[in-house]
Amino acid sequence: DVKVTQSSRYLVKRTGEKVFLECVQDMDHENMFWYRQDPGLGLRLIYFSYDVKMKEKGDIPEGYSVSREKKERFSLILESASTNQTSMYLCASSLVERNSNQPQHFGDGTRLSIL
Amino acid sequence: DQQVKQNSPSLSVQEGRISILNCDYTNSMFDYFLWYKKYPAEGPTFLISISSIKDKNEDGRFTVFLNKSAKHLSLHIVPSQPGDSAVYFCAASGPNTGNQFYFGTGTSLTVIP
C-alpha cells in the first residue's frame, strides 16, 4: 500500500510567520501535489512536481512556494502566513506509467490555522 | 473556471437503497475519471476509476458510469451502508492536463440507518 505521510495533523501559526508543511511518500512516485481544501470549493491545486527540483504552479500558487530536493519529499512553504491561508492542506503522490493512468494517493491532511 | 462540477452538495439515502452521485465535466479531452471518498479529518481515499474507452466499471458495491456525449459520470453505491457516509469527490485528467487532476467540489452522502 502507498503511504503518504504529512508531518503534522494540526498546526497553529501566527500571521507573518514562515510555515513549512512536509510530505513524504514511500512508493518512489514521480509526481507529488499540494492541494488545499475549503468548504464549497473542493480541492484546489497549489503546486505540483513531476521530478526532483521540478515544480509547476497549480491554480492558486500565490503566497506559497515548494521544494523538492529528494524524490520522496515535497515541502509546501507559506512565505508569510496570512489568515486567508487557514485551511486543510492535502499532499498527494502518483506514479507515472507510460500506457496507463494512475490515481493520486493522499495523505491525511494538515489542518492549518493562522491566527 | 470549474472544469469538473458536482452540483449536489449533499445527499441522504436510506440504508440498503441505492446512492447515486453525479458529476459533470466541460473538458472533452478528459480521458480518465476517478471517485474519491473522504471522511472528516482524513485524506481522500481512491475508490474507483474509469477510462474513456469504457462506459462502465464495477467494483463490488460501487459502479461508475461514464456518458461521454453528455460529459457526465455517476457513481452508484448498492446497497448503501452507514459506513458509506462521507464526502465524495469526482476528479478528471487528460492528455492535455499535464499530470494534473481536476476535482469537483464534493457531495456529502449521509446513509440513514
Side-chain angles (χ1 to χ4, degrees):
Chain A
D1 266 2
V2 177
K3 184 73 175 168
V4 179
T5 303
Q6 293 183 231
S7 54
S8 306
R9 293 297 300 273
Y10 301 93
L11 208 52
V12 180
K13 296 291 182 181
R14 296 213 171 269
T15 302
E17 278 192 74
K18 192 168 185 175
V19 181
F20 293 85
L21 302 183
E22 306 286 346
C23 175
V24 176
Q25 50 94 3
D26 66 355
M27 286 301 290
D28 205 35
H29 285 175
E30 291 85 355
N31 294 334
M32 295 189 76
F33 306 82
W34 275 107
Y35 295 88
R36 61 178 282 178
Q37 184 200 355
D38 299 288
L41 297 176
L43 276 68
R44 293 182 293 166
L45 182 65
I46 304 171
Y47 267 98
F48 69 99
S49 168
Y50 52 89
D51 203 351
V52 174
K53 297 194 187 297
M54 305 303 289
K55 61 184 180 184
E56 292 283 343
K57 291 181 180 179
D59 299 317
I60 50 164
E62 296 78 18
Y64 303 93
S65 63
V66 290
S67 171
R68 190 154 181 215
E69 296 297 317
K70 293 185 178 181
K71 191 174 186 180
E72 67 269 20
R73 185 179 297 271
F74 193 34
S75 304
L76 179 70
I77 304 151
L78 285 67
E79 298 291 344
S80 176
S82 63
T83 54
N84 63 11
Q85 292 178 310
T86 291
S87 187
M88 168 72 93
Y89 288 87
L90 292 160
C91 175
S93 72
S94 70
L95 187 65
V96 174
E97 279 206 345
R98 189 180 174 86
N99 293 315
S100 75
N101 293 299
Q102 296 294 322
Q104 293 183 351
H105 299 271
F106 285 84
D108 280 338
T110 296
R111 174 72 66 184
L112 175 65
S113 297
I114 308 296
L115 304 178
Chain B
D1 188 27
Q2 195 78 18
Q3 297 196 48
V4 178
K5 298 180 184 179
Q6 294 175 257
N7 292 318
S8 298
S10 62
L11 176 68
S12 290
V13 170
Q14 290 285 340
E15 180 178 3
R17 305 293 291 267
I18 184 170
S19 295
I20 301 176
L21 297 98
N22 294 302
C23 181
D24 297 293
Y25 61 95
T26 57
N27 188 339
S28 58
M29 294 295 290
F30 286 154
D31 64 359
Y32 181 52
F33 305 88
L34 311 90
W35 285 94
Y36 285 85
K37 175 180 178 179
K38 186 182 184 299
Y39 292 119
E42 292 184 14
T45 303
F46 169 67
L47 199 55
I48 192 168
S49 65
I50 188 167
S51 75
S52 59
I53 61 172
K54 292 184 165 185
D55 53 19
K56 176 182 172 181
N57 189 26
E58 200 170 343
D59 183 2
R61 296 186 297 114
F62 302 91
T63 303
V64 56
F65 294 92
L66 176 63
N67 182 334
K68 289 185 286 294
S69 60
K71 296 194 185 72
H72 178 84
L73 69 155
S74 61
L75 175 68
H76 293 209
I77 306 173
V78 182
S80 301
Q81 299 174 353
D84 296 329
S85 297
V87 177
Y88 290 78
F89 292 97
C90 65
S93 70
N96 63 339
T97 66
N99 296 312
Q100 196 170 338
F101 285 76
Y102 291 88
F103 284 81
T105 51
T107 296
S108 178
L109 173 66
T110 301
V111 180
I112 303 161

